[in-house]
Amino acid sequence: MECSWKTVLLLVCASLGIQYTAIRSYSTTSFQCCPKCSETGVFELLCEDTWNSHGTFQQQTRKHIIIFATTRSGSSFTGQLFNQHPDIFYLFEPLYHVQQAFTNSSAKLKNLLDRRALLGAYRDLLHNLFDCDFYFLENYIKPVPKNHETSSFFRRGASSALCSHPVCDVSQDLHDVEEHVCAKKCKSVNLTLAAKACHNRSHMAIKIVRVPEIQDLRTLLEDPRLNLKIVHLVRDPRAILTSRIGTFTDQFRAWKIWNATRRKPHNVDLSQITTTCRDISNSAETGFSRPSWLKGRYMLVRYEDVAKEPVKKAKEVYNFIGLDWDDKVQRWVLQNTNGSAASIGNYKYTTSRNSTATAESWRLNLSFDIVQTVQALCNSTLSQLGYKLVGSVVELRNISHSLVEPRTFLPFL
Ligand SMILES: *[C@@H]1O[C@H](CO)[C@@H](O)[C@H](O)[C@H]1NC(C)=O
Ligand SMILES: *[C@@H]1O[C@H](CO)[C@@H](O)[C@H](O)[C@H]1NC(C)=O
Ligand SMILES: *[C@@H]1O[C@H](CO)[C@@H](O)[C@H](O)[C@H]1NC(C)=O
Ligand SMILES: *[C@@H]1O[C@H](CO)[C@@H](O)[C@H](O)[C@H]1NC(C)=O
Ligand SMILES: *[C@@H]1O[C@H](CO)[C@@H](O)[C@H](O)[C@H]1NC(C)=O
Ligand SMILES: *[C@@H]1O[C@H](CO)[C@@H](O)[C@H](O)[C@H]1NC(C)=O
Ligand SMILES: *[C@@H]1O[C@H](CO)[C@@H](O)[C@H](O)[C@H]1NC(C)=O
Ligand SMILES: *[C@@H]1O[C@H](CO)[C@@H](O)[C@H](O)[C@H]1NC(C)=O
Ligand SMILES: *[C@@H]1O[C@H](CO)[C@@H](O)[C@H](O)[C@H]1NC(C)=O
C-alpha cells in the first residue's frame, strides 16, 4: 500500500516538472518532493504518511535558517557563525542573482519594477534552494550556466561548503582561508555537485539582505515543511550608514563630501537610510507583536550584542534554532575576534577583525551633523532597538560611554 503511494508521489513530482532524475540518486527522494506536492494541496496526506514512515534523522531534524539583514549590518560576521558549522550548508545572499536578472544598472528600470514580482521570485528561489535545487538558480544567473556549471556564482567563496569537497577539489580544505582565495582557486561551481553537497549537510542557512520586511517572507514561514527559522539581525542605523559610506563609495559620494566638509551637498539622498530604518522597524514591530505565523520561528539579534559577546550570543541563537553547538564555530569566533586576525587584510567584506572594537567605532568616523540627521530620520527605530541618541560631539566621541542600552530580546517561542 505504502509502496504504491510512494510510486504515485514520485510520478506526480515528475509531472510537476521537478528534476526527478537529478533527485532520485539521493535517498531522501520522498522528502524532497513532499513540499512541492503539498503545494497542490491534494497530496498532503500522502506526503504526511511518507514523511513519517520514512523519516530518517535528517528528515526529522533538518533546520532551515534565514539570517534576515540589511547591507552593512554585520551580517557577514554573523553569517560565519553558521558557515563554520560542519553540518550547515551556508549561502551568502543568493537573491543577488534574482535582482540582477530582473534589472540592469539602469536605476529607472529598477524603480519601475513590480515589487511583488521581485519578492515572489525571491521566495521561489529560497524555497528551491532549501530543497537543494540548485538548477532553479540557473534561471537567474548571468551568463546562463552551461552543463550546470557557472563561474558567476555570487560570493561562492563565502560558503565553506562551496569551497570544500566535492564542490571544490583542492588538496586542502579551504574553509579557513579567505573568501577570495577560494573564489580564485576553486574556479567554476558545478551546480550538480553543489546540490550533492547540500544534501550531504543536515541543515541549511541562507543570509539575505534584499528582502525589505519579514512580512514579505510570510508564505515561506507558514509552510510547515520548510520549518523555517528567522534570525533577524539589526544594527544601529548610524553604524550602517557609516559603513555604507565607506564601502559603496560611488553611491555615497555626496555623503562622503558632507562628512568631510561639514557642508551638506544639495544632492544627498536621504531616502535610502530612511527606508532602511522603516524596514528594520516594521520587521521588528511584526516580530514583537508575535503573530501566530512567527511562533517558534523568530529571534531578533543586535549586531552590537553579537560583537560584544559572540560566543554567548551565538549559543543563544543555536539554542533558539535547536542546533548543537560546535567547537569549530567556537574556534573560529575566538580566532576572528582576536586582534591578531585583524591583520589578515582589508578585503572589502572581511569579517576578520576585532569585532568588539568595530561595533561602535563608527562614532569616530561620522560628523556630528550627519549623526543628528540620522537621529531625526530614524529616532523611532533607534529607541525601539535600544540605541541611545547623542546630544553633543563630546558625547558622540566618548567611546567609553556605550550607546547600546542593555536589552534582552527573547526569541518568540
Ligand atoms: C539596461 O536596459 C535598458 C533597457 O532595456 C537598456 O537600454 C540598457 O542598455 C541596459 N543597460 C545595461 C547596462 O545593460
Ligand atoms: C558536474 O558533476 C557531475 C557529478 O559529478 C558530473 O556528472 C558532471 O559531468 C559535472 N559537470 C561538469 C560540467 O563537469
Ligand atoms: C558527505 O559528508 C561526508 C562526511 O561528512 C564526506 O566524507 C563525504 O565525502 C560527503 N559526500 C559528499 C558527496 O559530499
Ligand atoms: C572610517 O572611514 C574611512 C573612510 O570611509 C574608512 O576607510 C575607515 O575604515 C573607517 N574606519 C572605521 C573605524 O570605521
Ligand atoms: C589571540 O592572538 C594571540 C596572538 O596575537 C594568540 O597568541 C592567541 O592564541 C589568540 N587567542 C585565541 C583564542 O585565538
Ligand atoms: C579589541 O578591541 C577591544 C575594544 O577596543 C579592546 O579592549 C581589545 O584589547 C582588542 N583586542 C585586541 C586583541 O586587540
Ligand atoms: C568622515 O570624516 C572624518 C574627518 O574628516 C574622517 O576621519 C572619516 O574617515 C570620515 N568618515 C567616512 C565614513 O568617510
Ligand atoms: C522623533 O522625532 C520627532 C520629531 O522631532 C518627535 O516628535 C518624536 O517624538 C520622536 N520620537 C521618538 C521615539 O523619540
Ligand atoms: C565619557 O563617558 C564616561 C562614562 O560615561 C564618563 O565617566 C566620562 O566623564 C566621559 N568623558 C567625557 C570627556 O565626557
Side-chain angles (χ1 to χ4, degrees):
M1 174 88 160
E2 193 196 278
C3 261
S4 63
W5 281 5
K6 206 175 160 198
T7 312
V8 170
L9 253 177
L10 294 179
L11 286 172
V12 169
C13 284
S15 70
L16 282 174
I18 295 157
Q19 279 105 347
Y20 171 60
T21 44
I23 287 166
R24 68 178 297 182
S25 51
Y26 309 111
S27 56
T28 52
T29 304
S30 55
F31 166 68
Q32 286 308 319
C33 71
C34 266
K36 313 256 178 174
C37 291
S38 71
E39 274 170 13
T40 68
V42 181
F43 295 95
E44 189 120 10
L45 264 176
L46 270 178
C47 276
E48 195 80 61
D49 202 69
T50 311
W51 173 278
N52 291 335
S53 54
H54 293 268
T56 64
F57 112 89
Q58 182 167 348
Q59 291 155 18
Q60 283 178 355
T61 60
R62 186 170 171 93
K63 315 280 184 199
H64 297 119
I65 304 140
I66 285 181
I67 299 124
F68 185 89
T70 53
T71 46
R72 312 312 296 171
S73 59
S75 66
S76 299
F77 182 84
T78 309
Q80 289 290 354
L81 302 175
F82 298 92
N83 189 35
Q84 295 300 324
H85 196 297
D87 295 338
I88 296 178
F89 189 100
Y90 173 75
L91 285 179
F92 185 109
E93 187 49 313
L95 303 184
Y96 167 85
H97 290 292
V98 180
Q99 193 182 47
Q100 289 300 104
F102 266 69
T103 187
N104 56 24
S105 57
S106 143
K108 252 189 192 150
L109 215 65
K110 235 181 240 170
N111 292 334
L112 287 175
L113 189 69
D114 184 346
R115 186 173 174 273
R116 285 177 313 138
L118 184 60
L119 289 172
Y122 284 162
R123 283 190 297 267
D124 267 0
L125 178 60
L126 289 170
H127 207 297
N128 281 280
L129 287 173
F130 279 130
D131 281 349
C132 296
D133 183 351
F134 278 76
Y135 293 168
F136 188 83
L137 183 61
E138 292 180 22
N139 294 320
Y140 301 107
I141 296 178
K142 287 197 257 189
V144 180
K146 288 198 187 93
N147 301 320
H148 304 305
E149 199 173 41
T150 180
S151 51
S152 309
F153 199 108
F154 182 61
R155 304 292 303 276
R156 79 83 68 86
S159 167
S160 76
L162 295 180
C163 295
S164 39
H165 180 81
V167 188
C168 178
D169 255 325
V170 288
S171 46
Q172 107 250 43
D173 253 8
L174 282 175
H175 20 289
D176 293 329
V177 176
E178 264 194 282
E179 171 171 355
H180 66 269
V181 177
C182 163
K184 202 166 155 192
K185 283 205 174 165
C186 295
K187 307 262 162 38
S188 59
V189 178
N190 179 331
L191 295 163
T192 309
L193 291 176
K196 218 169 183 172
C198 176
H199 280 284
N200 201 28
R201 297 208 179 195
S202 35
H203 311 290
M204 188 165 194
I206 301 181
K207 175 199 117 162
I208 60 173
V209 295
R210 280 170 168 70
V211 174
E213 296 182 15
I214 297 274
Q215 292 93 307
D216 297 320
L217 297 178
R218 180 166 170 175
T219 54
L220 295 183
L221 285 150
E222 283 175 337
D223 186 336
R225 310 286 169 196
L226 218 45
N227 187 20
L228 185 62
K229 309 259 186 195
I230 300 269
V231 177
H232 183 198
L233 180 72
V234 300
R235 187 181 186 187
D236 188 326
R238 294 166 296 189
I240 291 176
L241 177 67
T242 310
S243 181
R244 286 180 183 172
I245 294 173
T247 309
F248 309 121
T249 45
D250 286 345
Q251 209 185 337
F252 283 86
R253 198 172 298 279
W255 284 92
K256 196 160 181 115
I257 292 167
W258 183 6
N259 173 65
T261 63
R262 308 289 138 97
R263 267 198 217 117
K264 185 181 171 189
H266 64 277
N267 60 340
V268 169
D269 176 14
L270 301 178
S271 68
Q272 198 202 62
I273 191 68
T274 308
T275 304
T276 296
C277 287
R278 192 199 58 208
D279 289 344
I280 291 174
S281 188
N282 286 346
S283 294
E285 204 45 60
T286 301
F288 297 160
S289 71
R290 316 215 145 192
S292 58
W293 53 275
L294 275 182
K295 189 169 168 49
R297 311 202 176 284
Y298 178 82
M299 181 176 186
L300 184 139
V301 174
R302 292 188 304 188
Y303 172 64
E304 292 81 2
D305 295 328
V306 176
K308 194 173 171 198
E309 291 179 289
V311 170
K312 177 167 174 273
K313 223 34 214 178
K315 282 182 173 171
E316 283 173 29
V317 174
Y318 270 66
N319 196 34
F320 154 67
I321 294 167
L323 277 177
D324 288 336
W325 183 243
D326 190 272
D327 282 344
K328 190 163 176 299
V329 183
Q330 174 131 349
R331 233 178 300 129
W332 185 90
V333 170
L334 293 179
Q335 277 162 10
N336 287 277
T337 51
N338 185 340
S340 60
S343 63
I344 282 181
N346 54 358
Y347 188 54
K348 196 178 191 179
Y349 288 94
T350 189
T351 49
S352 307
R353 56 194 159 199
N354 186 338
S355 58
T356 311
T358 53
E360 286 200 60
S361 66
W362 64 269
R363 296 170 58 183
L364 304 174
N365 226 2
L366 204 58
S367 70
F368 181 59
D369 47 343
I370 295 185
V371 171
Q372 277 183 307
T373 302
V374 179
Q375 288 184 168
L377 293 172
C378 299
N379 68 352
S380 60
T381 310
L382 289 162
S383 65
Q384 177 191 34
L385 299 172
Y387 299 121
K388 289 179 206 152
L389 305 183
V390 291
S392 69
V393 189
V394 174
E395 211 187 326
L396 174 65
R397 308 281 185 231
N398 186 354
I399 295 282
S400 58
H401 158 73
S402 175
L403 298 182
V404 183
E405 284 170 11
R407 286 263 181 105
T408 307
F409 297 94
L410 293 174
F412 177 19
L413 296 175

